[in-house]
Amino acid sequence: MNAKVPPKAPMARLDRLLANLGYGSRREVGGLVARRQVMLDGEVVKDVGAKIPIVADLPERMKISGKPVDPPAPLTLIMHKPLDVVCSHREAGRSVYELLPARWRARMPALSSIGRLDKDTTGLLLITDDGPFLHRVISPRANVAKRYVATLDRPLEGTEAEVFAAGTLMLEGETDPLAPAVLEPLGPKQARLTITEGRYHQVRRMFAAVGNHVTALHRDRIGGLDLPPDLEPGDWRILTGGEQASLFA
Ligand code: URA
């Protein structure tokens, strides 16, 4: 078993590890062990206090009741957020977390979205339990761009790109002007908008500030990461290391 463990892999007690992955209380995990439901590298684990290496390939090595164990932290997901789900644990209504396996709601550290999309916004959403990574993506210093396609109630007037690029636009109720943003018209009532901040309802409020109204909003890119075309609304998967890096490209 030890031959496969990288020398610096962090270790955790089995009962703590599985409790933190949402498999139940440490006592319930003890029950799984007593019923010989936990296997590591093809062997039954008999000791709830066994030290388990926290490695990315743990799901290939550990089985719980015959099924691969859930991926350990740090875990980052990419989701195509559908309409009518909320990003907050606290907000009323169906949440993006309900699209994930139920057990994952009990994970510690908890999964949370990197920034939020409104209930009626669709598109690229990242969900992570990796606090430092989350802060790196949302930090103003990182300047990670978010790109949206906005469908509008009224035709563009032609002056919006200049107004948004100026770096002087003030949103209602705010005291700091917005950072410059890039608008590319896609049609009379549709535009791509790239912003580097993440203020509350920012895109909708930007168009409201120039007398328009967003009727549909979709995020298709964060940094250098595009929403994969094969990820249908409601679909999600684990973000690869290469995709993580592309966020900062
Ligand atoms: N701006 C908005 O107005 N809504 C979103 O969901 C994202 C950005």
Side-chain angles (χ1 to χ4, degrees):
M1 176 193 306
N2 286 340
K4 294 185 189 168
V5 179
K8 291 226 176 80
M11 309 289 275
R13 273 181 65 104
L14 176 72
D15 51 0
R16 181 181 291 270
L17 169 71
L18 294 187
N20 286 346
L21 289 176
Y23 284 90
S25 63
R26 286 168 77 170
R27 201 184 150 136
E28 286 162 336
V29 170
L32 284 173
V33 171
R35 293 194 301 279
R36 301 169 65 86
Q37 296 299 302
V38 181
M39 308 264 300
L40 180 65
D41 296 330
E43 287 173 29
V44 172
V45 183
K46 299 190 183 109
D47 175 10
V48 288
K51 292 286 193 305
I52 307 295
I54 314 295
V55 283
D57 68 350
L58 198 60
E60 286 145 48
R61 299 178 47 190
M62 179 175 270
K63 305 279 175 276
I64 311 293
S65 306
K67 302 211 174 88
V69 72
D70 293 342
L75 176 65
T76 300
L77 310 173
I78 178 169
M79 177 183 279
H80 185 160
K81 180 194 169 294
L83 274 176
D84 292 331
V85 295
V86 297
C87 287
S88 163
H89 287 285
R90 282 183 285 274
E91 217 177 309
R94 191 162 179 241
S95 84
V96 290
Y97 305 102
E98 290 172 52
L99 302 174
L100 304 176
R103 184 166 55 234
W104 290 19
R105 270 170 258 157
R107 282 176 70 105
M108 291 291 285
L111 287 162
S112 54
S113 65
I114 302 185
R116 289 187 187 163
L117 292 177
D118 300 334
K119 189 174 181 181
D120 47 0
T121 301
T122 56
L124 174 48
L125 183 71
L126 298 173
I127 296 175
T128 192
D129 59 14
D130 183 346
F133 174 67
L134 182 149
H135 289 293
R136 235 184 114 204
V137 178
I138 63 173
S139 149
R141 262 175 291 136
N143 224 22
V144 175
K146 274 90 50 179
R147 195 176 77 177
Y148 295 86
V149 174
T151 306
L152 305 165
D153 196 27
R154 284 185 277 284
L156 290 160
E157 287 180 355
T159 50
E160 295 87 349
E162 201 180 329
V163 173
F164 291 167
T168 52
L169 183 64
M170 199 76 86
L171 293 180
E172 210 178 300
E174 298 204 358
T175 49
D176 291 327
L178 290 174
V182 177
L183 179 120
E184 304 160 70
L186 296 174
K189 291 187 181 179
Q190 200 170 57
R192 225 182 243 137
L193 180 63
T194 303
I195 61 175
T196 54
E197 298 166 290
R199 301 199 200 179
Y200 183 64
H201 294 328
Q202 182 168 336
V203 174
R204 293 174 203 275
R205 290 165 72 211
M206 285 174 75
F207 281 102
V210 292
N212 213 323
H213 175 72
V214 172
T215 57
L217 189 59
H218 178 79
R219 180 159 69 190
D220 66 353
R221 180 183 280 183
I222 302 179
L225 176 68
D226 286 315
L227 179 67
D230 59 341
L231 209 59
E232 300 288 337
D235 283 356
W236 58 272
R237 61 169 168 75
I238 295 175
L239 195 71
T240 66
E243 287 173 327
Q244 279 207 29
S246 74
L247 284 167
F248 306 102

